[in-house]
Amino acid sequence: MSAPRPAGQPLVEVRDLVKHYAAERGWFGLGRPRPPVRAVDGVSFAIGGGSTLGLVGESGSGKTTVGRTMLRLQEATSGRVFFEGSDVFALDSGRLRALRRRMQIVFQDPYSSLNPRMTVGETLREPLKIHHLSGEVSSLLEEVGLDPAFAKRYPHELSGGQRQRVGIARALSVEPRFVVCDEPVSALDVSVQAQVLNLLADLQSRRRLTYLFIAHDLAVVRHIADTVAVMYLGKIVERAPAAEIYALPRHPYTRALLSAVPEPDPRATKRRIVLSGDIPSPAHPPPGCPFHPRCPHPKKSERCRTEVPPLREVPPQSGHLAACHYAEQPM
Amino acid sequence: MLRVRDLKTYFVTEHGRGTARAVDEVSFDLYPGETLGIVGESGCGKTVTSLSILRLVPEPPGHILPGSLIEFEGRNLLALPAPELRAVRGNQIAMIFQEPMTSLNPVFTVGDQIGEAAIIHQHLSRKAARARAIEMLKLVGIADPEERVDDYPHQLSGGMRQRVMIAMALVCHPKVLIADEPTTALDVTIQAQILELLDRLQQELGMAVLLITHDLGLVAGHADRVVVMYAGRVVETAETTELFDRPTHPYTEGLLAAVPRIDAPLARLHAIPGQVPAATAWPAGCRFHPRCPYAWDKCIAQEPPLLETGVTGHAARCWLVTEPERRQAKR
C-alpha cells in the first residue's frame, strides 16, 4: 500500500485526454473516409483524495468515455492519466491489474452489468478470489444496506435499487481508493435514488473514497460533488467548486442547463432559457466555440464562430474556469 | 370531458404466481382544456391506467374488470364496439409515448406516418395528407418541413422524433392528449423545448392533457391538478399549488422530500425506506404502511378511503386526515 498522500494533493489527475473513434467508411469500406468522432477532445482535471468531481453533460458530451478511458476499459487516443502518481496509460498488463483493485466503476444499469447466472454471493466473491483478498460477502452486503441473506439470490430477484447496491458492493469488495460512478442513480425511482445517493455519501466518508460522479442531472450532482465540471461536445466548458457553479454559473450552456431543471415548486418564477436546435454530432463539431450555434448569449459575435475559447479562470473567484469569450458579462 | 371510475386492470402473471392488481379502483376526472398530472414511481400503475383508457392493454395477460368505467363524451369507452373505439382512438383521444424510436415505424417516412391518421379518420387524399403532415411538422417546430417530411425515423435526432410523435398525435386535433412520460428519454435541454412546445400547442388547440410522469418537477411546472398514485391506488389528489404547499399523504410528502433540488439549502436527501411491493401481493390495510413513518395499528388493519382534507378538491387516502395530531407527535 502506498503512503497516504498529503492533503491537497490530487489522487487522480487527467491531462489533455483525447478519445477519437475512427468512423467506418461507407460503401463497405470503399467510400471516402469519414471524419472521426471526437468523443473526448482535450479534457483535463484533478480530483483530490476523498473528494468528488461531478462530471455533467447531455448525451454525446463524452462524459462516460472520460470515465472509461481513465480506467483503461477503453484505450485513449492521447493524453495522460495519473493515479497516486503513477502513469496509468504506461502500465503493463500485470501492473494494470494491480491498479484495477484501486480504481473501480459502478455502472448505470446494474442489471446488464451483473451476470444473471451468478448469485449475488458468487458475484461478490469473484473479485476477492482474483485479487486474493479475504473480504467477507456478508459484511459487504451489510455495508451497502442489504441483508446477508441476499447472497443466495439471483439478479432477477432483486429490485433496481437492490441491484445497484450489489453493483456498489462489488466495486467496494477490492477496497478501491477511487470509484467512477457512471450515472449510478439515473435508472432508479426518486425515492430509491435518494437512498443510493445517501449510501454513496456515507461510504465515501467511512472509507475516504474519491469519486468521479458522472451524471446528466445537475440537481443530483449538487448533492454529492465538491467540484463540478460541465461537458459539451467532448470538452469541459465550465469547472468550479460546486457552491460556486450553482450560485454563479459563467458559461451560457451551464446557465441553460440549470434553468432547464424542472423544480418541484409550482411557484418557481425562474427564467427558463430554452435552447434552440439539437446537440451537434461530435463527428462534425461546429468551428470556433462548439456551443455557438445554440448559444443565447446577447454578446455572441463573429469571434465565437471562429475562435475556440480556452478554458480559463474567470475572476473574482480563483478556481472557477469557463470556456466562453464573454464569461464575465451577464446574460 | 373524461371520467374514469373504479378502473381495475389486472394481469395474470406467468407461472401461475397470481394476479397482479396493477390498477385497482382508480377514479379521476379530466376537464376540458386542463392538464392533469398523474405522478408515481415505477409499478404504481400510471402507465397501465393510460393504456386502459384507450383499451391498449394486451389481453391476455391483462384484463379490465367489469364495473370499470371510462366515460368520454357520454359513452363508456370500455363498452364500445371495436369500430367505434377506433374512431375515437388517435382521432379524438391521442397518445404520445416515452420512447419515440419504438413507437415510430422504421420503414415508413415521417410524412406517411403523420398523414396516416388523417387519411383514416378524416378521409384526406394522399396529397392532402402530405400537405397536412408538412403543416404539422411546421407546427411542432421542425426546420425545413418540406424536406423532413420524406425522412425516415432513423435520420432524426431524439428530440426531432419526439416532435414527430407529437405531430402524429395532434394531426386530427384531438380533444384529449395522453402524454406518457413524453420527455423522459430526452436530454434536459431538449426536454425543455418539448415541454414548451406542448404548452404552446395546448393553448393554441385548447385540448385537455393527461400528463403521466414520475417527475414532480414536470407536474409542478405544467399541471393544473395532480393525482398521485402508489401501488395501483390513487393516494392523493389536489390542485397543483395546494398539493405542493400541503402534501398530506406521507408518500407524497416523502417523494417531495426525496427530489434533489438546485434551489433549496443543501441537506441530506430524505429517502423513503424499503421499496414498492409487488403487484401480486400488495400489503394488507394501507398499502403504504410498511414504508410509512407514521403508521399505527389502524393502518395495518384497515385501508383508508380517499378522505377530503377540507380544502376543495384535496383528498388523501390516509387516516392522518382524521387524526392529524399523530403527524405533529411524530415531528
Side-chain angles (χ1 to χ4, degrees):
Chain A
M1 197 178 276
S2 57
R5 303 178 66 75
Q9 275 273 71
L11 180 85
V12 189
E13 195 183 345
V14 174
R15 280 192 211 155
D16 208 18
L17 187 68
V18 174
K19 175 66 181 177
H20 290 177
Y21 293 98
E24 284 173 32
R25 291 177 182 215
W27 290 103
F28 304 99
L30 301 172
R32 271 187 297 151
R34 296 190 200 154
V37 175
R38 294 150 73 160
V40 179
D41 213 10
V43 161
S44 303
F45 57 80
I47 315 175
S51 71
T52 299
L53 175 75
L55 191 60
V56 181
E58 297 183 283
S59 37
S61 64
K63 58 190 190 298
T64 291
T65 309
V66 168
R68 298 183 63 95
T69 46
M70 283 173 72
L71 302 188
R72 282 182 67 181
L73 297 173
Q74 283 169 353
E75 293 298 326
T77 305
S78 66
R80 297 175 89 177
V81 172
F82 294 92
F83 177 76
E84 294 181 323
S86 59
D87 185 343
V88 174
F89 293 170
L91 297 177
D92 58 39
S93 60
R95 292 172 65 191
L96 179 63
R97 175 175 280 202
L99 188 80
R100 284 260 164 82
R101 235 196 83 192
R102 323 284 292 143
M103 306 170 83
Q104 281 288 312
I105 184 164
V106 174
F107 296 98
Q108 171 177 359
D109 179 357
Y111 199 58
S112 59
S113 62
L114 294 176
N115 187 334
R117 294 174 190 282
M118 281 163 77
T119 63
V120 168
E122 287 163 354
T123 294
L124 296 181
R125 256 186 299 275
E126 191 170 63
L128 297 176
K129 232 184 303 174
I130 291 171
H131 293 284
H132 310 292
L133 295 170
S134 59
E136 254 186 67
V137 168
S138 59
S139 60
L140 274 171
L141 285 172
E142 274 173 355
E143 193 171 0
V144 297
L146 292 176
D147 190 279
F150 274 88
K152 293 197 181 67
R153 299 213 197 165
Y154 287 90
H156 75 266
E157 299 174 281
L158 309 180
S159 70
Q162 290 165 345
R163 279 182 214 133
Q164 196 54 291
R165 287 173 192 268
V166 173
I168 293 167
R170 178 177 57 184
L172 293 184
S173 64
V174 294
E175 295 163 26
R177 295 281 315 272
F178 174 60
V179 181
V180 173
C181 304
D182 189 2
E183 303 248 19
V185 298
S186 306
L188 304 176
D189 276 317
V190 179
S191 66
V192 181
Q193 167 179 299
Q195 293 173 6
V196 173
L197 280 173
N198 287 342
L199 172 68
L200 286 170
D202 292 343
L203 292 169
Q204 175 164 47
S205 54
R206 198 182 312 146
R207 292 185 170 229
R208 225 185 107 68
L209 293 168
T210 304
Y211 290 148
L212 175 67
F213 191 96
I214 299 168
H216 65 273
D217 185 334
L218 272 166
V220 166
V221 165
R222 179 166 178 258
H223 284 264
I224 192 133
D226 303 295
T227 310
V228 176
V230 178
M231 283 188 78
Y232 188 77
L233 280 181
K235 289 186 162 70
I236 290 178
V237 296
E238 183 158 9
R239 193 178 91 210
E244 192 48 33
I245 206 165
Y246 290 96
L248 192 62
R250 293 294 196 168
H251 197 283
Y253 178 62
T254 314
R255 291 180 201 196
L257 270 186
L258 277 170
S259 85
V261 176
E263 286 295 312
D265 176 6
R267 292 204 174 81
T269 49
K270 126 169 115 175
R271 197 172 62 99
R272 226 177 258 297
I273 307 168
V274 177
L275 296 177
S276 57
D278 280 317
I279 305 162
S281 156
H284 303 280
C289 172
F291 186 58
H292 86 257
R294 303 175 76 200
C295 183
H297 201 296
K299 289 274 198 280
K300 184 162 83 168
S301 68
E302 189 53 35
R303 200 174 160 205
C304 304
R305 282 180 274 276
T306 51
E307 194 184 316
V308 180
L311 188 63
R312 65 191 171 87
E313 194 148 284
V314 182
Q317 294 293 330
S318 70
H320 193 148
L321 311 178
C324 173
H325 295 309
Y326 301 102
E328 285 86 352
Q329 329 245 350
M331 257 173 69
Chain B
M1 166 135 282
L2 187 69
R3 242 158 53 97
V4 176
R5 284 291 173 279
D6 298 324
L7 176 67
K8 287 186 190 177
T9 308
Y10 289 2
F11 290 83
V12 178
T13 55
E14 287 172 44
H15 321 301
R17 258 186 270 170
T19 303
R21 292 179 287 162
V23 174
D24 215 3
E25 290 179 27
V26 163
S27 301
F28 58 83
D29 295 308
L30 178 67
Y31 297 104
E34 77 162 347
T35 297
L36 175 67
I38 298 193
V39 199
E41 298 182 287
S42 37
C44 73
K46 58 189 190 300
T47 291
V48 176
T49 299
S50 71
L51 293 174
S52 302
I53 291 171
L54 290 175
R55 278 162 64 186
L56 293 171
V57 173
E59 295 185 44
H63 63 292
I64 297 173
L65 271 68
S68 307
L69 173 78
I70 291 171
E71 194 181 274
F72 175 67
E73 298 192 319
R75 294 184 298 175
N76 183 1
L77 295 183
L78 298 175
L80 230 48
E84 287 180 44
L85 178 68
R86 277 198 294 272
V88 172
R89 194 155 63 192
N91 186 23
Q92 291 171 295
I93 304 181
M95 189 157 178
I96 50 179
F97 300 92
Q98 177 175 159
E99 189 25 85
M101 200 54 193
T102 54
S103 323
L104 292 171
N105 191 326
V107 299
F108 288 98
T109 65
V110 300
D112 287 340
Q113 295 185 62
I114 295 169
E116 189 187 4
I119 292 173
I120 293 170
H121 294 298
Q122 304 186 332
H123 313 292
L124 258 55
S125 67
R126 296 202 72 81
K127 206 173 153 199
R130 186 185 151 88
R132 173 71 70 81
I134 293 172
E135 188 189 308
M136 293 306 297
L137 287 173
K138 206 177 291 171
L139 182 72
V140 297
I142 286 187
D144 309 320
E146 289 86 355
E147 284 148 47
R148 288 300 185 185
V149 74
D150 295 319
D151 277 358
Y152 290 88
H154 75 266
Q155 292 170 288
L156 307 175
S157 69
M160 271 162 49
R161 280 184 212 134
Q162 198 55 289
R163 285 173 192 263
V164 167
M165 282 277 297
I166 293 170
M168 273 169 74
L170 299 187
V171 68
C172 295
H173 298 312
K175 291 174 180 160
V176 174
L177 177 69
I178 302 174
D180 188 357
E181 302 272 11
T183 58
T184 305
L186 303 174
D187 279 316
V188 60
T189 60
I190 308 299
Q191 166 173 307
Q193 291 175 3
I194 297 292
L195 290 170
E196 191 183 56
L197 171 69
L198 279 174
D199 283 350
R200 174 170 67 81
L201 292 175
Q202 180 176 23
Q203 278 180 5
E204 283 174 18
L205 308 175
M207 60 195 171
V209 175
L210 195 59
L211 176 65
I212 292 161
T213 178
H214 69 282
D215 189 336
L216 283 162
L218 284 195
V219 164
H222 300 273
D224 302 303
R225 289 189 305 123
V226 185
V227 166
V228 182
M229 285 186 72
Y230 183 79
R233 295 272 202 227
V234 172
V235 296
E236 187 160 4
T237 176
E239 284 189 6
T240 306
T241 43
E242 165 70 11
L243 185 92
F244 284 83
D245 285 349
R246 275 178 292 276
T248 300
H249 197 286
Y251 176 64
T252 314
E253 194 183 40
L255 207 54
L256 264 172
V259 179
R261 313 263 309 236
I262 53 171
D263 62 348
L266 203 51
R268 189 172 171 86
L269 286 170
H270 172 85
I272 301 176
Q275 53 238 328
V276 181
T280 47
W282 298 132
C286 171
R287 293 179 181 180
F288 187 62
H289 86 256
R291 306 177 72 189
C292 182
Y294 309 109
W296 69 99
D297 42 4
K298 188 175 187 182
C299 309
I300 301 163
Q302 198 185 350
E303 186 178 20
L306 271 171
L307 297 164
E308 300 283 339
T309 65
V311 176
T312 314
H314 192 171
R317 191 182 289 281
C318 181
W319 292 123
L320 282 175
V321 175
T322 56
E323 295 184 45
E325 62 282 357
R326 284 183 180 268
R327 189 192 297 268
Q328 304 309 324
K330 199 78 189 173
R331 276 189 183 148

